[in-house]
Amino acid sequence: MDEREMYAEMNALLGTLAKAFDLEPEQAARAVEAGEIAIAMQEDARGERFLAAEYRGRSAQIYQGAIRHAPQAD
């Protein structure tokens, strides 16, 4: 992977994190840099891989083409 391709992939990830947590992309980048967004690769019960992301008590599962959120506690 060349540097331009890696940069495009990182931009896509930051954009997806921003969308998942209702942030601006710049806010998502700062949160990742500050360690406020935790990201881990996981696999669901069907064997599909996804990124599990957590930010300020909220979580999201980021699949290829889809974002799933855990139900919010009232």
Side-chain angles (χ1 to χ4, degrees):
M1 176 180 299
D2 71 21
E3 191 172 317
R4 288 174 293 170
E5 185 179 2
M6 185 171 61
Y7 184 77
E9 293 289 330
M10 290 301 295
N11 272 340
L13 174 60
L14 291 172
T16 302
L17 289 169
K19 184 175 181 179
F21 296 117
D22 196 28
L23 302 169
E24 292 297 320
E26 295 81 15
Q27 289 176 298
R30 284 192 297 274
V32 168
E33 289 173 348
E36 296 173 359
I37 296 179
I39 305 168
M41 295 192 70
Q42 295 185 0
E43 189 173 300
D44 66 17
R46 296 179 308 235
E48 294 182 44
R49 295 178 184 255
F50 64 92
L51 289 178
E54 292 188 23
Y55 175 67
R56 295 187 176 176
R58 297 170 47 202
S59 62
Q61 294 176 336
I62 301 170
Y63 290 83
Q64 180 72 30
I67 299 171
R68 298 187 182 140
H69 294 3
Q72 293 282 329
D74 291 330

